[in-house]
Amino acid sequence: MNIFICLMFSLLISYSTACDRCVHQSKAAYFTSSSSLSSGACGYGSLAVGFNGGHLAAGVPSLYRDGVGCGACFQIRCKNQKICSNGGTKVILTDLNHNNKTDFVLSNRAFRAMANDGMSHDLLKLGIVDVEYKRIPCEYKSKNLSVKIEEKSLKPNYLAIKFLYQGGQTDIVSVDIAQVGAANWRYMTRNANGVVWETSRVPAGALQIRMLVTGGFDGKMIWANNEVIPANWKVGEIYDSGVQITDIAQEGCASSSASCEHEHWN
């Protein structure tokens, strides 16, 4: 309980000077092939190809955040008004960008989507462009938050999971599991690269999940009380949690390259 109170207090402090949207100024480039993004550091593999119509991105460490930023959604628009549209493109973070010259490296499809009609070829010729971007809520209208059983999981004593199709604009900051109908919750730990949650204390039977996410000026607990992971769970399978996250966390715009949004984007 003390840990939970401390976490909630730290969230209150971090969001006390926050705004709904922080607009950042940077540069973006693109990959000629999207294969590197679909097999990127977030470990989504071939599933990434189906995310957001292939509009994917690799982000610098401050966006990747040791894997915490995986699955986050961003709207990016280039600042060349002769070539680019006002709405820009919307992408999902699936990889780590090691190039410190740009905050993002986009899939070819996402990069071209920033252009006005008939101007995508001209945009590609530029290679690297000045952009402004903001984090936006992810929307999966036909999907709930889902859980993928990682290949390294081993019954009955080790379970590793990865979350897919996380909606809203939040980060999952803690995860607990328990047998369905039981109150004996056991915490999971985030692994070294931040994408996978794991435990070597796996309850018997079918499992329910609860998650603490950042939302607004505080944290919010999301409960998936029904059977999320069946008793006969299998490695590689994806299970529907039955819930979706729609909360929008506010941001602190402390960076010199960031400001609170005052202009409406399409």
Side-chain angles (χ1 to χ4, degrees):
M1 177 62 70
N2 289 337
I3 294 175
F4 180 78
I5 293 174
C6 289
L7 179 57
M8 295 285 284
F9 181 72
S10 66
L11 289 171
L12 283 170
I13 293 175
S14 64
Y15 293 125
S16 60
T17 57
C19 65
D20 288 334
R21 297 289 187 277
C22 298
V23 178
H24 303 263
Q25 310 296 321
S26 185
K27 295 179 182 293
Y30 70 94
F31 286 112
T32 54
S33 170
S34 61
S35 59
S36 55
L37 286 171
S38 62
S39 60
C42 292
Y44 293 128
S46 59
L47 290 171
V49 178
F51 293 166
N52 197 36
H55 288 210
L56 312 176
V60 288
S62 60
L63 298 173
Y64 179 75
R65 292 179 291 143
D66 294 325
V68 177
C70 288
C73 296
F74 295 88
Q75 186 171 1
I76 308 171
R77 64 181 183 185
C78 81
K79 299 170 71 173
N80 187 325
Q81 296 182 354
K82 293 182 178 179
I83 297 178
C84 299
S85 68
N86 183 61
T89 185
K90 297 177 181 180
V91 300
I92 295 177
L93 192 72
T94 60
D95 199 2
L96 172 63
N97 172 25
H98 297 281
N99 183 350
N100 60 13
K101 294 181 180 180
T102 68
D103 275 12
F104 287 101
V105 180
L106 309 182
S107 63
N108 184 289
R109 182 174 296 181
F111 194 85
R112 288 187 284 111
M114 291 191 295
N116 285 316
D117 291 344
M119 303 293 288
S120 61
H121 185 67
D122 298 275
L123 182 59
L124 290 175
K125 283 183 178 179
L126 296 178
I128 298 177
V129 294
D130 292 319
V131 298
E132 51 189 7
Y133 66 89
K134 61 184 180 181
R135 186 173 176 182
I136 59 173
C138 295
E139 295 183 358
Y140 296 100
K141 295 180 180 179
S142 62
K143 291 184 180 294
N144 289 322
L145 179 72
S146 297
V147 174
K148 181 178 183 293
I149 308 297
E150 291 297 283
E151 282 72 11
K152 60 181 180 179
S153 296
L154 184 64
K155 282 185 176 182
N157 297 320
Y158 178 70
L159 175 64
I161 63 173
K162 180 182 297 172
F163 291 104
L164 305 174
Y165 315 119
Q166 181 182 341
Q169 183 187 305
T170 60
D171 299 325
I172 296 175
V173 294
S174 74
V175 177
D176 299 316
I177 57 173
Q179 187 181 74
V180 173
N184 184 22
W185 291 93
R186 298 179 182 178
Y187 68 89
M188 304 187 79
T189 56
R190 197 192 294 270
N191 73 356
N193 66 1
V195 183
V196 175
W197 294 87
E198 57 192 356
T199 182
S200 57
R201 300 172 62 245
V202 185
L207 303 177
Q208 57 183 334
I209 296 178
R210 67 181 182 185
M211 301 150 284
L212 178 64
V213 302
T214 55
F217 286 101
D218 54 15
K220 178 179 179 179
M221 193 68 76
I222 306 292
W223 300 77
N225 292 323
N226 298 323
E227 177 182 308
V228 177
I229 302 175
N232 62 339
W233 54 264
K234 298 179 180 179
V235 169
E237 289 295 310
I238 298 173
Y239 300 106
D240 189 331
S241 73
V243 299
Q244 183 54 278
I245 298 173
T246 58
D247 298 85
I248 298 175
Q250 296 197 348
E251 301 175 275
C253 304
S255 170
S256 59
S257 65
S259 61
C260 282
E261 179 184 10
H262 297 293
E263 178 187 354
H264 175 72
W265 291 15
N266 293 336

